[in-house]
Every structure is written in C-alpha cells, then in structure tokens.
Amino acid sequence: MGAFGRFAAAAAAAVLAAPAAEATALGALKVDNYTFDKVIAIPDHSFLVKFDESYAYGEKEDAFKTLASLAYGVPQFFVAEVPVQEYGDKDNADLASRFQVIKDDFPAYYLFNKANKDGLKYTGAVQADDIALWLRRNKVRMPSVGTIAELDELAKKFLKEGFADAHVSEAKALSEGAYSTDKKAAMYFKIMQKIKEKGESYIAAETARVSKLLEGNITPEKKAELGDKAKILAVFASKDEL
C-alpha cells in the first residue's frame, strides 16, 4: 500500500471511529483537535462541521440533529461537530481559535471539501432548511427539509426536461400511490400542472402570494399547509442548485 493508500485508510478509520465518541446527534461525527485534520482531508468528501459549546441544547441544536439525520443518505458527505469547552481543560478551544470562532458565534458552521479547503463559513439563520439550501447551493446533494426526496428529484427533472408530460403523470401516480397518505405529494402534481399552464414564472408569483398569506391572520392548519407549499415551491425554484 502506497503513501496515499495508507493516508486514506487512516483517515477512513478516523471517520469510522468518530461515532463511538458519543456525538450528541445521531449521524454526526464528533471530532477534536487530534482528529479534525485527518477527517476533513479525506479525498472526495465534504464535511459540514459545527463548532459549538459542549452539551448544546435548544432549537439550534435541534436544527443540527435534523441536518445530521438528513445527511445519512448523501454520498461522500458527513456532518460533524467540534464541542468546545470554555472552562476546565478548554478542550478544542485552540481549534475554535484557529477558525476565529468565539462563544458569541456558537453554533458556527463551516463547509470543508476540495473547493473549500480552508472552510467556507455559513452566515445565515441557524435553521435546518436554510442550511440545507446553502449546502445544495455549494454542490452538496442535501435533501430539502419537510419535502419528499423522490418528488424533489422529479420536480427538477420536470423543469430541466421541458415540462414533460411523463413527469407530470409520474408525480400524479406517486401522489395517488406510494405517497397517498402524505398531503404534500399532491402539491407537486398540482404545481407541475400550473407551470405547464402559466409557465415557469408561476413559481415566483405563487411563492410571493403564499408568503403574503403566511404573514396574515390564518388558522394553524392553513399556516402548516401553506408552509408545506412554500417549501415545495422552493424545490422547484432551486432546479439549478445540484
């Protein structure tokens, strides 16, 4: 085994060993100042790394857990966390300092891969759907939050292949079959129909209309329904992200 092979094997071993370090989120790797560089140097892989206080909790930690679970099916992509201690031994404080992360920044997210060897910092809202969208824009095949992955892919094919009737028929079949118990499925089919009738400009116009309705005084049930539709419209709007 050559030097590259030994390096890749060692790096892979670090990844496989990381879950045993009791990461706080299922599906996330726990890395530290001993394993960090080994892990992010694995060739042809991308890593979303969260710098945060040890034993983080609350809504922002829930967002991280959602991202970790969504990342499970994404090839060559891992979600990882660096727990930083402010007191005592100050574990990983030097690693946080290396990336100029301070306590007020927690949780801080960075994307590491071939295109971002020094780390690309995420600067948006700490919400799972926003971070997932940011990842897709940076060529990580992250699923959308709160949508149906199979229909997400079909929506992109529909737009890229000229609004083909075959994709509309497939969406209808899925909404009446495999996803008949999920109300969101029918939305894909209906949106495809509207796009065929009104053109691709329907996506932006309908997104604006739904956003305005969400700002108004509506029932919780209607708000949930419109929220789902807004997420699905965002899938259609993001056809060029992957």
Side-chain angles (χ1 to χ4, degrees):
M1 182 183 293
F4 178 82
R6 288 194 297 273
F7 166 78
V15 169
L16 291 172
E22 299 182 1
T24 58
L26 292 176
L29 308 178
K30 189 173 182 180
V31 295
D32 53 37
N33 50 10
Y34 291 104
T35 59
F36 179 84
D37 288 306
K38 289 182 179 180
V39 170
I40 66 168
I42 295 176
D44 303 318
H45 282 67
S46 295
F47 298 88
L48 177 68
V49 180
K50 175 182 73 105
F51 292 82
D52 204 353
E53 60 184 341
S54 299
Y55 308 109
Y57 63 92
E59 291 183 359
K60 292 182 178 181
E61 180 63 12
D62 290 341
F64 177 67
K65 291 176 180 178
T66 297
L67 291 167
S69 64
L70 285 172
Y72 172 76
V74 183
Q76 297 176 299
F77 174 66
F78 288 96
V79 169
E81 58 183 327
V82 178
V84 181
Q85 285 187 347
E86 185 179 4
Y87 305 105
D89 294 334
K90 294 189 175 182
D91 291 342
N92 301 318
D94 54 344
L95 194 54
S97 178
R98 172 177 156 189
F99 291 96
Q100 299 181 328
V101 176
I102 61 175
K103 183 180 179 180
D104 290 345
D105 297 328
F106 291 159
Y109 285 88
Y110 283 79
L111 175 64
F112 295 90
N113 52 25
K114 186 176 180 180
N116 300 287
K117 293 182 179 180
D118 296 324
L120 177 65
K121 186 176 182 179
Y122 172 72
T123 58
V126 183
Q127 297 180 356
D129 48 357
D130 290 344
I131 297 173
L133 177 59
W134 177 73
L135 287 168
R136 292 196 299 277
R137 286 175 174 166
N138 284 283
K139 310 304 180 184
V140 176
R141 300 182 66 85
M142 192 72 167
S144 299
V145 178
T147 60
I148 302 170
E150 187 173 359
L151 283 162
D152 289 350
E153 291 302 315
L154 189 59
K156 290 179 172 62
K157 289 179 182 178
F158 168 75
L159 291 171
K160 289 182 177 180
E161 297 175 14
F163 313 158
D165 288 334
H167 296 320
V168 181
S169 297
E170 187 176 351
K172 186 174 187 291
L174 286 169
S175 69
E176 295 175 349
Y179 298 103
S180 61
T181 59
D182 191 333
K183 292 181 180 180
K184 295 191 296 293
M187 293 181 184
Y188 289 86
F189 167 62
K190 292 176 182 177
I191 290 170
M192 287 182 182
Q193 285 186 311
K194 288 293 186 180
I195 292 171
K196 284 187 70 71
E197 292 173 11
K198 300 183 177 183
E200 198 167 340
S201 61
Y202 167 79
I203 300 169
E206 184 65 1
T207 298
R209 187 185 76 86
V210 169
S211 297
K212 187 174 182 179
L213 288 172
L214 283 168
E215 294 173 358
N217 185 18
I218 54 178
T219 65
E221 294 78 10
K222 190 63 176 178
K223 186 173 183 178
E225 178 188 335
L226 290 173
D228 286 339
K229 187 171 185 179
K231 290 176 182 178
I232 293 169
L233 285 166
V235 171
F236 280 87
S238 65
K239 68 170 184 174
D240 295 322
E241 288 170 4
L242 297 179

